[in-house]
Amino acid sequence: MTVEVGAKTEGKVTGITNFGAFVDLGEGQSGMVHISEIADGYVKDIHDVLSVGDTVKVLVLNERNHKIALSIKQASDKPKPKYHAHHSHERNEHKSHKPESFDDMMSGFMKESEERLSTIKKNTEGKRGGRGGRRS
């Protein structure tokens, strides 16, 4: 049996690398799930999400030269959000459930950006210098 592009199937995780996970689809076929196709959010370490031996539901994205590309996040039956704003749902959980306006999202982004920049500046100020001391 050959897997068809667009088909949802189950498989068993047989190996994990820094860039993805290999899934045995049965009948001598296996595919790979890229790290970006594992979960809706950012995945820093695949081992936090998957382990060898896990059974996962996957969607077949494409098949070229006997290499099968799979997706776990697209195989889920949950509805896709209409828009994606970084952390906007986390900021609004204690508020109302209505979406933020663009201006609200932009001001939140600018505030977070300025906070991160000031933290970076504080952490790197003492690390400058190097050989030869100050230059005039």
Side-chain angles (χ1 to χ4, degrees):
M1 176 186 123
T2 317
V3 292
E4 295 181 24
V5 174
K8 291 182 183 180
T9 186
E10 283 195 357
K12 192 172 195 175
V13 178
T14 58
I16 296 177
T17 65
N18 291 336
F19 56 85
F22 293 94
V23 178
D24 180 19
L25 302 172
E27 299 183 22
Q29 294 183 320
S30 65
M32 193 200 75
V33 181
H34 189 267
I35 191 169
S36 64
E37 291 294 330
I38 289 177
D40 287 329
Y42 175 73
V43 177
K44 183 174 183 178
D45 185 5
I46 297 175
H47 294 92
D48 294 341
V49 183
L50 294 175
S51 300
V52 173
D54 287 352
T55 300
V56 292
K57 186 175 181 181
V58 293
L59 173 74
V60 179
L61 297 177
N62 65 46
E63 191 266 327
R64 288 189 204 132
N65 301 327
H66 304 291
K67 293 181 180 180
I68 302 170
L70 305 170
S71 173
I72 294 173
K73 73 179 182 182
Q74 293 183 39
S76 69
D77 294 327
K78 60 185 172 184
K80 303 277 187 232
K82 291 184 181 176
Y83 67 94
H84 179 73
H86 295 289
H87 307 293
S88 65
H89 68 282
E90 292 172 9
R91 285 189 302 237
N92 285 337
E93 260 183 67
H94 53 80
K95 297 179 185 175
S96 68
H97 289 288
K98 79 177 193 186
E100 289 182 300
S101 71
F102 176 78
D103 292 333
D104 292 338
M105 289 190 296
M106 184 56 94
S107 65
F109 170 78
M110 292 299 292
K111 181 180 175 188
E112 287 177 22
S113 179
E114 288 170 3
E115 289 171 357
R116 289 180 184 158
L117 186 58
S118 68
T119 302
I120 290 170
K121 283 182 181 178
K122 281 187 225 173
N123 291 336
T124 58
E125 269 181 13
K127 297 177 184 173
R128 295 192 185 180
R131 296 172 47 166
R134 292 187 150 190
R135 295 181 188 179
S136 303

